[in-house]
Amino acid sequence: MRKLALNDEILLNIEKPARYIGNEVNSVMKDKEKVDIRFAMCFPDVYEIGMSHLGIQILYDMFNRRDDTWCERVYSPWPDLDKIMREEKIPLFALESQDSIKDFDFLGITIQYEMCYTNILQILDLSQMPLRAKDRGEEYPIVMGGGPCTYNPEPLAEFFDIFYIGEGETVFDELLDAYKAYKKAGRSKKEFLERAAEIPGLYVPAFYDVTYKEDGTLESFKPNNSHAKEKIEKQVVLDFNGVCYPEKPVVPFIKATQDRVTLEIQRGCIRGCRFCQAGMIYRPTREKDVEFLKKTAQALLENTGHEEISLSSLSSSDYSRLPELIDYLIEECSERNVNISLPSLRIDAFSLDVMSKVQDIKKSSLTFAPEAGTQRMRNVINKGLTQEDILEGSWKAFQGGWSRVKLYFMLGLPTETEEDMKGIAHLAEEVAKKYYEIPKEERHGRCQIVVSTSFFVPKPFTPFQWATMCRKEEYLEKAKIVKAEIRAQLNQKSIKYNYHEADVTVLEGILARGDRKICDVLERVYRKGAIFDAWSEYFRYDLWMEAFEELGMDPEFYTLRERSFEELLPWDFINAGVSRKFLEKEWERAMKGEVTPNCRMKCSGCGAGTYKGGVCVEG
């Protein structure tokens, strides 16, 4: 009988105890005495968020297919349980076995978002492990990090033993095989880390020294161990149909944020938006075979009981076999009364035929991302959309029976003017007008255009990685301009406006482009009580500013300063597939407002062609 790590009294006095008891449908149980490697897979946020993450589901399935490995899951305890665990000195535990994390061989943490960084320290702290890697001896697990934020791992470098740069399906087996051999031979942690450093895509921060110039910028970044590589090469899955994909994902007892089956149809994006990190680091674009997707979709629906299936992709419209796949799913889903979700669709490619077919199952709001309000700004960011595309797509959507449309924009982009800001309101008004052009008797409900603006954050390995950011007050002033302009529109009652938190954006920018010195800030602010920074009710901007001040560091060094091409950036030791030359060229084209064609129209020589896969070798 499996014994829970929390007693009944604790479970009855916390919110949503089902977050912590495990034993969900399709979770994997093994005999821990019959495996050689125990791997705790962590998402550093609350259970409902972590259970919605496809990457963990893929690795969980992949690891547990190995007879010698048992992969279990762990998430950040919500503040109510966090408080009890500290008071009662209860160590953090895995859901499947309820065993303490500190007794595992590996703690693997997926790092999806900068605002989860304090939660990573929470995980280590509640596991009763030293926060810094240098303070963790042989008795502690190997702490690994993976995910998009590892494309600049330096703000977290002091806390991790290894970072995995690239896609998880590539070299994990080699790493686990090496660990098994080293463990059997009784080798030391350092010896294993030296072996890990030789594996492509793996970065061991302790094996590198960093020096700084007087102005605070990087002077050098060099290996201090003969096993460490000068350049870390991103790992990419080329046989995209040959890798495993979970057909029996774990089904939570409580409603997850994305309570649905997820079907990944392709990886990467052909579009080349200059602000988008995912569109750059996941190159080249690779599609899954449509027959594989049909078979997988059927298995997923049979094995989960979910009432919705979502197609996962950075740009679903660009999947070449989308009409065929949709036709198949409509037939399958109508029989099961399952809804089809089509996120990441381009407004200019959203076919009326697909819309009308999918709406027969269940109507919902449509989401489009013009990103900028004027054509000039859309050219700067290389969005590849015209106002005609947007309005025609909206017209088709309204004709197809939708009355609610969400429009996503970004404020604070390079070269932005007041005209660009006001253009957001004007574009929303034009979209609303399209609805009222439809005869009254043919309309479907009340029109609602929801305009959302986030604030621009320059991310590593994008053409905008050198850009400056705004102060918090400047971001808020931009949002006020948009809000006032919306109120001045004829159809203002049909337009709802909301915007992202400006202080969160500033901090996200600091963490996204920070160096190793940020590690001290991160630990200091965590000790002050910062946790769940991604949640507005817990975010404490003042604590972060206090930590910077106490350490004598200026946060604006990381935000307001525009970088030069000559500066050594904290992530320059990583080869992410896109070349520095390409990114520089795209920055220069952005400043001129020049559009770069998408990858299927014309190769732009970004560097991803060296992987010899996907769209780079089509035809």
Side-chain angles (χ1 to χ4, degrees):
M1 180 77 177
R2 189 181 65 123
K3 185 178 179 182
L4 293 176
L6 304 176
N7 61 41
D8 290 347
E9 184 180 351
I10 293 173
L11 289 171
L12 289 171
N13 283 282
I14 58 174
E15 183 183 341
K16 298 183 181 179
R19 290 168 171 163
Y20 312 107
I21 60 177
N23 212 32
E24 307 101 319
V25 173
N26 296 333
S27 60
V28 176
M29 298 299 295
K30 294 188 179 183
D31 184 342
K32 63 185 177 183
E33 303 301 327
K34 294 181 179 178
V35 295
D36 300 301
I37 302 168
R38 299 192 67 189
F39 200 111
M41 186 68 72
C42 171
F43 194 100
D45 206 328
V46 73
Y47 175 89
E48 294 94 305
I49 301 289
M51 281 297 292
S52 302
H53 184 246
L54 177 60
I56 281 189
Q57 294 271 19
I58 290 173
L59 293 179
Y60 181 83
D61 178 74
M62 186 175 91
F63 288 4
N64 280 321
R65 292 188 189 195
R66 292 177 60 120
D67 293 334
D68 61 358
T69 302
W70 186 12
C71 181
E72 304 180 50
R73 295 161 297 129
V74 60
Y75 304 99
S76 287
W78 195 243
D80 56 353
L81 180 59
D82 177 283
K83 182 174 182 290
I84 293 171
M85 292 178 75
R86 294 177 193 277
E87 292 171 349
E88 303 292 330
K89 294 183 169 52
I90 300 169
L92 188 62
F93 52 90
L95 293 189
E96 281 76 3
S97 66
Q98 301 277 301
D99 289 344
S100 299
I101 299 300
K102 63 182 177 182
D103 296 331
F104 281 64
D105 296 291
F106 286 90
L107 170 58
I109 303 175
T110 183
I111 316 170
Q112 296 291 318
Y113 179 38
E114 290 83 1
M115 304 313 295
C116 289
Y117 285 7
T118 50
N119 279 48
I120 291 171
L121 302 195
Q122 176 212 28
I123 295 290
L124 295 171
D125 200 13
L126 288 180
S127 298
Q128 300 176 0
M129 294 161 56
L131 299 185
R132 305 263 176 164
K134 63 182 175 59
D135 299 325
R136 295 194 294 266
E138 300 290 332
E139 70 273 29
Y140 294 106
I142 301 291
V143 179
M144 289 189 68
C149 289
T150 61
Y151 284 86
N152 178 21
E154 291 306 278
L156 292 166
E158 300 285 349
F159 310 111
F160 283 81
D161 297 302
I162 305 172
F163 287 100
Y164 188 119
I165 313 296
E167 296 171 352
E169 301 99 328
T170 50
V171 298
F172 255 124
D173 280 330
E174 184 179 352
L175 177 72
L176 296 179
D177 289 342
Y179 178 79
K180 183 177 173 180
Y182 273 60
K183 182 181 178 182
K184 188 176 181 180
R187 309 287 284 275
S188 69
K189 179 184 277 190
K190 184 184 178 185
E191 287 176 303
F192 169 68
L193 291 176
E194 288 178 335
R195 170 69 184 94
E198 296 173 343
I199 297 174
L202 298 189
Y203 165 54
V204 180
F207 294 164
Y208 296 80
D209 291 327
V210 185
T211 61
Y212 300 89
K213 298 177 182 177
E214 283 188 18
D215 65 0
T217 60
L218 283 179
E219 182 174 51
S220 67
F221 186 95
K222 295 178 180 177
N224 60 32
N225 187 297
S226 60
H227 298 268
K229 302 174 284 290
E230 289 276 352
K231 202 86 169 174
I232 307 296
E233 303 285 336
K234 172 187 80 171
Q235 297 304 290
V236 174
V237 175
L238 293 180
D239 180 11
F240 205 33
N241 293 307
V243 294
C244 67
Y245 193 83
E247 293 187 350
K248 291 185 176 182
V250 180
V251 182
F253 286 132
I254 56 177
K255 186 175 175 60
T257 305
Q258 295 181 10
D259 195 23
R260 61 182 72 120
V261 162
T262 302
L263 187 66
E264 186 182 28
I265 61 175
Q266 65 181 9
R267 199 171 289 177
C269 182
I270 64 173
R271 296 291 163 177
C273 297
R274 292 174 177 135
F275 60 84
C276 181
Q277 186 186 51
M280 295 294 165
I281 63 176
Y282 291 117
R283 291 186 176 205
T285 303
R286 291 142 290 153
E287 294 189 350
K288 285 201 170 170
D289 178 72
V290 71
E291 296 304 323
F292 173 87
L293 292 174
K294 291 176 184 178
K295 172 178 166 290
T296 305
Q298 190 173 30
L300 285 166
L301 293 171
E302 287 176 356
N303 293 327
T304 63
H306 279 302
E307 296 178 350
E308 184 170 330
I309 184 166
S310 175
L311 304 187
S312 172
S313 167
L314 291 175
S315 181
S316 299
S317 306
D318 294 322
Y319 179 64
S320 62
R321 306 285 292 276
L322 186 63
E324 180 182 349
L325 179 61
I326 291 295
D327 286 344
Y328 172 81
L329 289 177
I330 286 171
E331 188 175 339
E332 276 290 313
C333 293
S334 59
E335 291 176 6
R336 303 171 188 266
N337 203 24
V338 169
N339 182 39
I340 302 170
S341 173
L342 296 167
S344 307
L345 287 159
R346 288 176 62 83
I347 197 166
D348 61 340
F350 198 90
S351 98
L352 182 58
D353 181 52
V354 171
M355 287 163 54
S356 60
K357 287 178 180 176
V358 172
Q359 78 165 17
D360 287 341
I361 300 170
K362 183 182 175 184
K363 284 181 184 166
S364 59
S365 63
L366 291 176
T367 301
F368 298 127
E371 306 293 0
T374 64
Q375 193 59 48
R376 186 198 74 83
M377 183 54 72
R378 284 192 292 276
N379 290 348
V380 167
I381 65 177
N382 205 48
K383 185 64 185 176
L385 271 180
T386 65
Q387 178 148 322
E388 291 70 31
D389 294 330
I390 296 165
L391 297 181
E392 183 183 352
S394 301
W395 169 252
K396 286 183 177 180
F398 295 140
Q399 279 189 320
W402 275 268
S403 59
R404 179 179 166 90
V405 173
K406 297 178 184 177
L407 298 173
Y408 284 110
F409 297 91
M410 207 175 289
L411 288 170
L413 288 158
T415 79
E416 182 181 65
T417 66
E418 187 170 321
E419 183 183 349
D420 298 316
M421 300 173 214
K422 290 181 176 179
I424 292 171
H426 299 160
L427 183 57
E429 167 73 4
E430 292 301 315
V431 170
K433 281 182 184 177
K434 284 293 176 186
Y435 181 79
Y436 292 108
E437 288 177 10
I438 296 174
K440 196 169 186 179
E441 63 275 11
E442 295 176 19
R443 297 174 195 166
H444 297 263
R446 180 173 168 268
C447 174
Q448 186 170 27
I449 311 298
V450 181
V451 174
S452 296
T453 58
S454 62
F455 298 116
F456 166 67
V457 177
K459 293 291 181 85
F461 296 106
T462 68
F464 288 168
Q465 65 180 359
W466 294 280
T468 185
M469 292 182 66
C470 299
R471 289 186 174 91
K472 178 179 75 169
E473 296 76 17
E474 293 172 312
Y475 281 131
L476 292 174
E477 187 57 38
K478 290 173 184 291
K480 284 180 183 176
I481 290 171
V482 176
K483 189 172 185 178
E485 197 68 15
I486 285 175
R487 285 179 174 172
Q489 300 307 303
L490 182 66
N491 292 299
Q492 59 159 304
K493 291 183 179 179
S494 298
I495 304 171
K496 181 183 176 184
Y497 178 54
N498 53 61
Y499 54 89
H500 191 56
E501 297 99 325
D503 46 9
V504 172
T505 300
V506 171
L507 185 56
E508 184 184 341
I510 291 170
L511 297 177
R513 294 193 296 181
D515 50 32
R516 280 199 193 187
K517 288 183 280 188
I518 295 295
C519 293
D520 293 334
V521 180
L522 190 54
E523 182 169 357
R524 179 69 63 98
V525 78
Y526 172 72
R527 299 294 187 196
K528 287 175 173 289
I531 195 173
F532 282 100
D533 291 305
W535 296 75
S536 56
E537 62 264 45
Y538 292 107
F539 179 59
R540 292 280 306 277
Y541 187 69
D542 59 320
L543 294 184
W544 283 92
M545 294 303 107
E546 279 178 22
F548 272 104
E549 187 175 356
E550 290 170 9
L551 290 165
M553 294 172 61
D554 181 7
E556 292 188 350
F557 173 80
Y558 298 99
T559 54
L560 298 186
R561 187 175 58 83
E562 186 172 303
R563 281 76 169 153
S564 70
F565 287 167
E566 289 70 40
E567 181 176 337
L568 178 64
L569 302 175
W571 51 90
D572 276 344
F573 69 96
I574 296 171
N575 178 9
V578 289
S579 69
R580 176 78 172 243
K581 183 179 178 182
F582 167 75
L583 295 176
E584 290 176 0
K585 183 180 175 184
E586 282 295 287
W587 169 261
E588 290 168 347
R589 288 177 67 85
M591 295 304 102
K592 297 174 186 174
E594 296 177 357
V595 174
T596 299
N598 73 61
C599 298
R600 283 205 171 102
M601 290 174 65
K602 182 183 177 183
C603 177
S604 57
C606 72
T610 58
Y611 293 106
K612 295 182 170 57
V615 70
C616 296
V617 296
E618 282 182 7

